[in-house]
Coordinates of all heavy atoms in Angstrom, one line a residue:
M1 N 1.5 106.8 134.7 CA 0.3 106.0 134.7 C 0.2 105.0 135.8 O -0.5 104.1 135.8 CB 0.3 105.2 133.4 CG 0.0 106.1 132.2 SD -0.3 105.0 130.8 CE -2.1 105.3 130.7
G2 N 1.0 105.2 136.9 CA 0.9 104.3 138.0 C 1.6 102.9 137.6 O 2.6 102.9 137.0
A3 N 0.9 101.8 137.9 CA 1.4 100.5 137.6 C 1.2 100.1 136.1 O 1.7 99.0 135.7 CB 0.7 99.5 138.5
V4 N 0.5 100.9 135.4 CA 0.2 100.6 134.0 C 1.0 101.5 133.1 O 0.9 102.7 133.2 CB -1.3 100.7 133.7 CG1 -1.6 100.4 132.3 CG2 -2.1 99.7 134.6
G5 N 1.7 100.9 132.2 CA 2.4 101.7 131.1 C 1.6 101.6 129.8 O 1.2 100.4 129.5
G6 N 1.3 102.6 129.2 CA 0.5 102.6 128.0 C 0.4 103.9 127.3 O 1.2 104.8 127.6
W7 N -0.7 104.1 126.5 CA -0.9 105.3 125.8 C -2.4 105.7 126.1 O -3.3 104.9 126.0 CB -0.8 105.1 124.3 CG 0.6 104.7 124.0 CD1 1.7 105.5 123.6 CD2 1.1 103.3 123.9 NE1 2.7 104.8 123.3 CE2 2.5 103.4 123.5 CE3 0.5 102.0 124.1 CZ2 3.3 102.3 123.3 CZ3 1.4 101.0 123.9 CH2 2.7 101.1 123.6
W8 N -2.5 107.0 126.4 CA -3.8 107.6 126.6 C -4.1 108.5 125.4 O -3.4 109.4 125.2 CB -3.9 108.4 127.9 CG -5.2 109.1 128.1 CD1 -5.5 110.4 128.0 CD2 -6.5 108.5 128.5 NE1 -6.7 110.7 128.3 CE2 -7.5 109.5 128.6 CE3 -6.9 107.2 128.6 CZ2 -8.8 109.3 128.8 CZ3 -8.2 106.9 128.9 CH2 -9.2 108.0 129.0
I9 N -5.2 108.1 124.7 CA -5.5 108.9 123.5 C -6.8 109.6 123.9 O -7.9 109.1 124.1 CB -5.9 108.0 122.3 CG1 -4.6 107.2 122.0 CG2 -6.3 108.9 121.1 CD1 -4.8 106.1 120.9
Q10 N -6.7 111.0 124.1 CA -7.8 111.8 124.5 C -8.8 112.2 123.5 O -10.0 112.1 123.7 CB -7.2 113.1 125.1 CG -8.3 114.1 125.7 CD -9.1 113.5 126.9 OE1 -8.5 112.9 127.7 NE2 -10.3 113.6 126.9
Q11 N -8.4 112.5 122.3 CA -9.3 112.9 121.2 C -9.9 111.7 120.5 O -9.4 110.7 120.5 CB -8.6 113.9 120.2 CG -7.3 113.2 119.5 CD -6.0 113.3 120.3 OE1 -6.0 113.3 121.5 NE2 -5.0 113.3 119.6
P12 N -11.1 112.0 119.8 CA -11.7 110.9 119.1 C -10.8 110.5 118.0 O -10.0 111.2 117.4 CB -12.9 111.7 118.4 CG -13.2 112.8 119.3 CD -11.8 113.2 119.8
H13 N -10.8 109.2 117.7 CA -9.9 108.5 116.7 C -10.6 107.3 116.2 O -11.5 106.7 116.7 CB -8.6 108.2 117.4 CG -8.8 107.2 118.5 ND1 -9.2 107.6 119.8 CD2 -8.6 105.8 118.6 CE1 -9.3 106.5 120.6 NE2 -9.0 105.5 119.9
G14 N -10.2 106.9 114.9 CA -10.8 105.8 114.3 C -10.3 104.5 114.9 O -9.1 104.4 115.2
V15 N -11.2 103.5 114.9 CA -10.8 102.1 115.3 C -10.9 101.3 114.0 O -11.9 101.3 113.5 CB -11.7 101.6 116.4 CG1 -11.4 100.2 116.7 CG2 -11.6 102.4 117.7
S16 N -9.9 100.6 113.7 CA -9.9 99.7 112.6 C -9.2 98.4 112.9 O -8.5 98.3 113.9 CB -9.2 100.5 111.4 OG -7.8 100.7 111.7
Y17 N -9.3 97.5 112.0 CA -8.6 96.2 112.2 C -8.2 95.7 110.8 O -8.7 96.1 109.8 CB -9.5 95.3 112.9 CG -10.7 94.7 112.2 CD1 -10.6 93.5 111.5 CD2 -11.9 95.4 112.1 CE1 -11.7 93.0 110.7 CE2 -12.9 95.0 111.4 CZ -12.8 93.8 110.7 OH -13.9 93.3 109.9
V18 N -7.3 94.7 110.8 CA -6.9 94.1 109.6 C -7.6 92.7 109.7 O -7.3 91.9 110.6 CB -5.4 93.9 109.5 CG1 -4.9 93.1 108.3 CG2 -4.7 95.2 109.6
P19 N -8.3 92.3 108.6 CA -9.0 91.0 108.6 C -8.0 89.9 108.7 O -6.8 90.0 108.2 CB -9.7 91.0 107.2 CG -9.9 92.4 106.8 CD -8.7 93.1 107.5
S20 N -8.3 88.8 109.5 CA -7.4 87.7 109.7 C -7.0 87.1 108.4 O -5.9 86.5 108.4 CB -8.1 86.7 110.7 OG -9.2 86.1 110.1
G21 N -7.8 87.1 107.4 CA -7.4 86.4 106.1 C -6.6 87.4 105.3 O -6.3 87.0 104.1
G22 N -6.2 88.6 105.8 CA -5.4 89.5 105.0 C -6.4 90.6 104.3 O -7.5 90.5 104.5
G23 N -5.7 91.4 103.6 CA -6.5 92.5 103.0 C -6.3 93.8 103.7 O -5.5 94.0 104.6
A24 N -7.0 94.8 103.2 CA -6.8 96.2 103.6 C -7.5 96.4 104.9 O -8.5 95.7 105.3 CB -7.4 97.2 102.7
P25 N -6.9 97.2 105.9 CA -7.6 97.5 107.1 C -8.9 98.1 106.9 O -9.2 98.7 105.9 CB -6.7 98.6 107.8 CG -5.3 98.4 107.1 CD -5.6 97.9 105.7
R26 N -9.8 97.7 107.8 CA -11.3 98.3 107.7 C -11.5 99.2 108.9 O -11.3 98.8 110.0 CB -12.2 97.1 107.7 CG -12.1 96.2 106.5 CD -13.1 95.1 106.6 NE -14.4 95.5 107.0 CZ -15.5 94.7 107.1 NH1 -15.3 93.4 107.0 NH2 -16.6 95.2 107.5
E27 N -12.0 100.3 108.7 CA -12.3 101.2 109.7 C -13.7 101.1 110.1 O -14.6 101.1 109.2 CB -12.0 102.7 109.4 CG -12.3 103.7 110.6 CD -11.7 105.0 110.4 OE1 -10.6 105.1 109.9 OE2 -12.4 106.0 110.7
E28 N -14.0 100.8 111.3 CA -15.3 100.4 111.8 C -16.1 101.6 112.4 O -17.3 101.7 112.2 CB -15.2 99.3 112.8 CG -14.8 98.0 112.1 CD -15.7 97.5 111.0 OE1 -16.9 97.4 111.3 OE2 -15.2 97.2 109.9
R29 N -15.4 102.4 113.2 CA -16.1 103.4 113.9 C -15.2 104.4 114.6 O -13.9 104.2 114.5 CB -17.0 102.9 115.1 CG -16.2 102.2 116.1 CD -17.0 101.5 117.2 NE -16.3 100.9 118.2 CZ -15.8 101.5 119.3 NH1 -16.0 102.8 119.4 NH2 -15.1 100.8 120.1
V30 N -15.7 105.5 115.2 CA -14.8 106.5 115.8 C -15.0 106.2 117.3 O -16.1 106.0 117.9 CB -15.3 107.9 115.6 CG1 -14.6 109.0 116.4 CG2 -15.1 108.2 114.1
A31 N -13.8 106.2 118.0 CA -13.7 105.8 119.4 C -13.5 107.1 120.2 O -12.9 108.1 119.7 CB -12.7 104.9 119.7
G32 N -14.0 107.2 121.5 CA -13.7 108.3 122.3 C -12.3 108.1 123.1 O -11.5 107.3 122.6
P33 N -12.1 108.8 124.2 CA -10.9 108.6 124.9 C -10.6 107.2 125.2 O -11.5 106.4 125.6 CB -11.2 109.4 126.2 CG -12.2 110.4 125.8 CD -13.1 109.7 124.8
T34 N -9.4 106.8 125.1 CA -9.0 105.4 125.1 C -7.7 105.2 125.8 O -6.7 105.9 125.5 CB -9.0 104.7 123.7 OG1 -10.2 104.9 123.1 CG2 -8.7 103.2 123.8
L35 N -7.5 104.2 126.6 CA -6.3 103.7 127.2 C -5.9 102.5 126.5 O -6.7 101.5 126.3 CB -6.4 103.4 128.7 CG -5.2 102.9 129.4 CD1 -4.1 103.9 129.4 CD2 -5.5 102.5 130.9
I36 N -4.7 102.4 125.9 CA -4.2 101.2 125.3 C -2.9 100.8 126.0 O -2.0 101.6 126.3 CB -3.8 101.5 123.8 CG1 -5.0 102.0 123.1 CG2 -3.2 100.3 123.1 CD1 -4.8 102.5 121.7
W37 N -2.8 99.5 126.4 CA -1.7 98.9 127.1 C -1.5 97.5 126.8 O -2.4 96.9 126.2 CB -1.8 99.2 128.6 CG -2.7 98.4 129.3 CD1 -2.4 97.3 130.2 CD2 -4.2 98.4 129.3 NE1 -3.5 96.7 130.7 CE2 -4.7 97.3 130.2 CE3 -5.2 99.2 128.8 CZ2 -6.0 97.1 130.4 CZ3 -6.5 98.9 129.0 CH2 -6.9 97.9 129.9
Q38 N -0.4 96.9 127.2 CA -0.1 95.5 127.0 C -0.1 94.8 128.4 O 0.6 95.3 129.4 CB 1.2 95.3 126.3 CG 1.5 93.8 126.0 CD 2.7 93.7 125.1 OE1 3.0 94.5 124.3 NE2 3.3 92.5 125.2
H39 N -0.7 93.7 128.5 CA -0.6 92.9 129.7 C -0.1 91.5 129.3 O -0.8 90.8 128.5 CB -2.1 92.8 130.3 CG -2.1 91.9 131.5 ND1 -1.5 92.3 132.7 CD2 -2.6 90.7 131.8 CE1 -1.7 91.3 133.6 NE2 -2.3 90.3 133.1
R40 N 1.1 91.2 129.7 CA 1.8 90.0 129.3 C 1.9 90.1 127.8 O 2.5 91.0 127.3 CB 1.1 88.8 129.9 CG 1.1 88.7 131.3 CD 0.6 87.5 132.0 NE 0.6 87.5 133.4 CZ -0.3 87.1 134.1 NH1 -1.4 86.5 133.7 NH2 -0.2 87.2 135.5
L41 N 1.3 89.1 127.1 CA 1.5 89.1 125.6 C 0.2 89.6 124.8 O 0.0 89.5 123.7 CB 1.8 87.7 125.1 CG 3.1 87.1 125.7 CD1 3.3 85.7 125.2 CD2 4.3 88.0 125.1
V42 N -0.7 90.2 125.6 CA -2.0 90.6 125.1 C -2.1 92.2 125.1 O -1.8 92.8 126.0 CB -3.2 90.0 125.9 CG1 -4.5 90.5 125.3 CG2 -3.1 88.5 125.9
G43 N -2.5 92.7 123.9 CA -2.7 94.1 123.8 C -4.2 94.4 124.2 O -5.1 93.7 123.7
L44 N -4.4 95.4 125.0 CA -5.7 95.7 125.5 C -6.1 97.1 125.3 O -5.1 98.0 125.2 CB -5.8 95.4 127.0 CG -5.5 94.0 127.5 CD1 -5.2 93.9 128.9 CD2 -6.7 93.1 127.1
R45 N -7.3 97.5 125.2 CA -7.8 98.9 125.1 C -9.0 99.0 125.9 O -9.9 98.1 126.0 CB -8.0 99.3 123.6 CG -9.0 98.5 122.8 CD -9.1 98.9 121.4 NE -9.3 100.2 121.2 CZ -10.5 100.9 121.3 NH1 -11.5 100.2 121.6 NH2 -10.6 102.2 121.0
L46 N -9.2 100.2 126.5 CA -10.3 100.5 127.3 C -10.8 101.9 127.0 O -10.0 102.9 127.2 CB -10.0 100.3 128.8 CG -11.0 100.7 129.8 CD1 -12.2 99.7 129.7 CD2 -10.4 100.7 131.2
E47 N -12.0 102.0 126.5 CA -12.6 103.4 126.3 C -13.3 103.9 127.5 O -13.9 103.1 128.2 CB -13.6 103.3 125.1 CG -13.0 103.1 123.8 CD -14.0 103.1 122.7 OE1 -14.8 104.0 122.7 OE2 -14.0 102.1 121.8
G48 N -13.2 105.2 127.7 CA -13.9 105.8 128.9 C -13.4 107.3 129.0 O -12.4 107.7 128.5
P49 N -14.3 108.1 129.5 CA -14.0 109.5 129.5 C -13.0 109.9 130.6 O -12.5 111.1 130.5 CB -15.4 110.1 129.9 CG -16.1 109.0 130.7 CD -15.6 107.7 130.1
D50 N -12.6 109.1 131.5 CA -11.7 109.5 132.6 C -10.5 108.7 132.6 O -10.5 107.5 132.8 CB -12.5 109.3 133.9 CG -11.7 109.8 135.1 OD1 -11.7 111.0 135.4 OD2 -11.1 108.9 135.7
R51 N -9.3 109.3 132.4 CA -8.0 108.6 132.4 C -7.7 108.0 133.7 O -7.3 106.8 133.8 CB -6.9 109.6 132.1 CG -5.5 109.0 132.0 CD -4.5 110.1 131.6 NE -3.2 109.5 131.5 CZ -2.2 109.7 132.3 NH1 -2.3 110.5 133.3 NH2 -1.1 109.2 132.1
A52 N -8.0 108.6 134.9 CA -7.6 108.0 136.2 C -8.4 106.8 136.4 O -7.9 105.7 136.9 CB -7.9 109.0 137.3
E53 N -9.7 106.7 136.0 CA -10.6 105.6 136.2 C -10.1 104.4 135.2 O -10.0 103.3 135.6 CB -12.0 105.9 136.0 CG -12.9 104.7 136.1 CD -13.1 104.2 137.5 OE1 -12.5 104.8 138.5 OE2 -13.8 103.3 137.8
A54 N -9.7 104.8 134.0 CA -9.1 103.8 133.1 C -7.9 103.2 133.6 O -7.8 102.0 133.5 CB -8.9 104.4 131.7
V55 N -7.0 104.0 134.1 CA -5.7 103.4 134.7 C -6.1 102.5 135.9 O -5.5 101.4 136.1 CB -4.8 104.5 135.1 CG1 -3.6 104.0 135.9 CG2 -4.3 105.3 133.9
R56 N -7.0 102.9 136.7 CA -7.4 102.1 137.9 C -7.9 100.8 137.5 O -7.5 99.7 138.0 CB -8.5 102.8 138.7 CG -8.8 102.1 140.1 CD -10.1 102.6 140.7 NE -11.3 102.3 140.0 CZ -11.9 101.1 139.8 NH1 -11.4 100.1 140.4 NH2 -13.0 101.0 139.2
I57 N -8.8 100.7 136.4 CA -9.3 99.5 135.9 C -8.2 98.6 135.3 O -8.1 97.4 135.5 CB -10.5 99.7 134.9 CG1 -11.7 100.3 135.6 CG2 -10.9 98.5 134.1 CD1 -12.7 100.9 134.7
A58 N -7.4 99.3 134.5 CA -6.3 98.5 133.9 C -5.4 97.9 134.9 O -4.8 96.8 134.7 CB -5.5 99.5 132.9
S59 N -5.1 98.6 136.0 CA -4.2 98.1 137.1 C -4.8 96.9 137.7 O -4.1 96.1 138.4 CB -4.0 99.2 138.1 OG -3.3 100.3 137.5
S60 N -6.1 96.6 137.6 CA -6.7 95.5 138.2 C -6.7 94.3 137.3 O -7.1 93.2 137.8 CB -8.2 95.8 138.6 OG -9.0 95.9 137.4
V61 N -6.3 94.4 136.1 CA -6.2 93.2 135.1 C -5.3 92.2 135.7 O -4.1 92.5 136.0 CB -5.9 93.6 133.7 CG1 -5.7 92.4 132.8 CG2 -7.0 94.6 133.2
R62 N -5.7 90.9 135.7 CA -4.9 89.9 136.2 C -4.5 88.9 135.1 O -4.9 88.2 134.6 CB -5.5 89.1 137.4 CG -5.9 89.9 138.5 CD -4.6 90.1 139.4 NE -4.9 91.1 140.5 CZ -4.4 92.2 140.6 NH1 -3.5 92.7 139.8 NH2 -4.6 93.0 141.7

């Protein structure tokens, strides 16, 4: 992945979150191809159809 280490999820997948007050995870929608990576202490995700472009954008995060 170049300068970015992470996960590329090609197939559609559900995006969900756990409410800050606790409780069961809530699934909100279906996402397309997505790059998921960590920058310092922050987890980031970027949806887009092209892995190379997603990695290029992720590499520019400061």
Side-chain angles (χ1 to χ4, degrees):
M1 290 190 105
V4 176
W7 300 269
W8 176 249
I9 303 172
Q10 181 64 44
Q11 60 275 27
H13 58 282
V15 174
S16 61
Y17 71 95
V18 176
S20 61
R26 294 180 47 186
E27 186 165 316
E28 294 297 310
R29 64 184 181 83
V30 174
T34 303
L35 177 65
I36 300 172
W37 77 103
Q38 184 171 335
H39 178 70
R40 298 187 180 136
L41 297 176
V42 178
L44 300 164
R45 61 183 307 280
L46 176 64
E47 288 184 49
D50 183 82
R51 180 178 184 249
E53 181 69 1
V55 169
R56 185 191 69 73
I57 293 167
S59 296
S60 72
V61 173
R62 301 278 178 247

